[in-house]
Amino acid sequence: MDAFILQILNGLDKGSAYALIALGLTLIFGTLGVVNFAHGALFMIGAFCAVTFSKFLSFSYTVVDETQKDFLGNPLKVEVPYIYDMFGQSTGDAIIDWAVPLSLLFTIPVMIGIGFIMERGLIKHFYKRPHADQILVTFGLAIVLQEIIKYYYGANPIPTPAPAAFAGSFDFGAILGFDPNTIIYPYWRLVYFGFAALIVGAVFAFLQFTTFGMVVRAGMADRETVGLLGINIDRRFTIMFGLAAAVAGLAGAMYAPINSPNYHMGMDFLVLSFVVVVVGGMGSLPGAVLAGFLLGILESFASTAVVLEFIPGINQIIIYLVAIIILLTRPRGLMGRKGVMEE
């Protein structure tokens, strides 16, 4: 039972990232009808927003500290972060320690801006083009963004630690009645799952309970009729593209302590996220979230030693096998609209 619960937690951890990226992909496809292969790059850029913000907070200048001596008795030169001058050492250390959560305030406007630029500068010219053209141009854009990140940040992963308060592990089994240290799970991974649930809930609440969201949902169902009512639906869809980019960026920023950001992490998640979207149903937001968590849990169980002993390598292909089965039996996905992907 303890191993079962641990694999569920691992699955929810993976599924959180899949669900957040797939949610943004589905928002773009559902509103604009665009297959955006650059969405994984937005996830990567979000992670590097956290890296950039952390480095910015750590900018320092050199001073000579007379109280510290080297082995020859000379005063040592020490690095003092500029933030100490503004907030003091104790507060400055706390701000630097919480750099990743605080980077969300930086990530949101940056990602919305990037989303607007992408949509207005490139994507809008491909609305009425075949999906194959959309895939080619957005995939090319993803490669360009990936190489830009590689040029400025290098090819090696950049460790970006979580706050010290969440650096350890949580004895999850103790609250379930198991012996101490039976089910140990990293705090930050639990935080990431809670964060993903919050973002997903916020997106659904925004679409369900705000006037803007209701108009967007109406436009997703019947774009022409909404336009005939005098509503500028194109402008609202552009805003939704920016919000989808922000969701991907936030997912990447909070994922930075789990997987050290590197220039190809967007591609690592992109294909899996498209599989999640297909399984959940193209254009179905609930389907994208449900499939993200289900496939994350399935992949987690397929990675156990018991399963790998009988079927070596199954953890690498299990998601694709499920996608094949779904496409053969239910082409529109688990919760897709009838007629979508069924022609």
Side-chain angles (χ1 to χ4, degrees), residues 1-14 169-170 172-173 176 178 181-186 189-190 296-297 300-301 304:
M1 179 58 70
D2 58 329
F4 178 82
I5 295 174
L6 185 60
Q7 294 308 318
I8 291 291
L9 291 173
N10 286 331
L12 292 176
D13 170 33
K14 294 179 180 179
S169 297
F170 176 64
F172 198 83
L176 298 178
F178 291 93
N181 299 322
T182 301
I183 304 176
I184 302 295
Y185 207 73
R189 291 179 180 267
L190 295 174
I297 292 172
S300 177
F301 278 100
T304 59

Side-chain angles (χ1 to χ4, degrees), residues 58-218:
S58 300
F59 280 162
S60 60
Y61 58 93
T62 303
V63 298
V64 176
D65 188 353
E66 297 289 346
T67 64
Q68 301 185 53
K69 308 288 184 178
D70 60 16
F71 69 98
L72 295 176
N74 300 316
L76 287 178
K77 293 182 179 180
V78 297
E79 297 294 325
V80 178
Y82 286 102
I83 200 169
Y84 284 4
D85 296 337
M86 293 182 286
F87 299 101
Q89 182 173 350
S90 59
T91 303
D93 285 336
I95 292 174
I96 293 173
D97 183 41
W98 286 79
V100 171
L102 290 175
S103 70
L104 301 183
L105 301 176
F106 170 71
T107 303
I108 291 173
V110 169
M111 297 308 302
I112 290 177
I114 291 175
F116 283 175
I117 293 171
M118 282 179 57
E119 196 275 338
R120 289 289 86 188
L122 180 66
I123 304 298
K124 73 173 185 178
H125 301 292
F126 289 84
Y127 286 161
K128 297 181 180 181
R129 301 279 289 272
H131 288 322
D133 292 354
Q134 297 170 1
I135 291 172
L136 287 173
V137 72
T138 54
F139 187 75
L141 177 61
I143 293 175
V144 170
L145 293 174
Q146 176 177 285
E147 292 303 312
I148 291 174
I149 292 295
K150 181 180 178 181
Y151 177 80
Y152 284 103
Y153 292 89
N156 297 323
I158 303 175
T160 309
F166 299 102
S169 297
F170 176 64
D171 192 347
F172 198 83
I175 65 174
L176 298 178
F178 291 93
D179 294 334
N181 299 322
T182 301
I183 304 176
I184 302 295
Y185 207 73
Y187 279 116
W188 190 256
R189 291 179 180 267
L190 295 174
V191 169
Y192 191 79
F193 170 68
F195 174 78
L198 179 64
I199 293 297
V200 169
V203 170
F204 277 95
F206 175 75
L207 292 174
Q208 189 70 31
F209 301 115
T210 66
T211 302
F212 186 98
M214 293 177 185
V215 172
V216 168
R217 286 190 290 114

Side-chain angles (χ1 to χ4, degrees), residues 38-61:
H39 203 72
L42 297 177
F43 177 82
M44 172 199 63
I45 292 174
F48 278 94
C49 282
V51 171
T52 302
F53 191 77
S54 297
K55 289 184 177 295
F56 174 77
L57 292 180
S58 300
F59 280 162
S60 60
Y61 58 93

Side-chain angles (χ1 to χ4, degrees), residues 21-23 25-26 272-283 287-288 291 333:
I21 302 176
L23 181 64
L25 280 169
T26 305
L272 290 174
S273 299
F274 263 101
V275 173
V276 169
V277 170
V278 171
V279 171
M282 295 294 285

Side-chain angles (χ1 to χ4, degrees), residues 244-295:
V247 169
L250 291 174
M254 289 293 283
Y255 202 75
I258 297 176
N259 185 13
S260 297
N262 57 77
Y263 73 97
H264 58 77
M265 67 185 300
M267 291 296 184
D268 295 342
F269 277 93
L270 176 65
V271 176
L272 290 174
S273 299
F274 263 101
V275 173
V276 169
V277 170
V278 171
V279 171
M282 295 294 285
S284 172
L285 297 177
V289 175
L290 176 64
F293 285 111
L294 287 179
L295 291 179

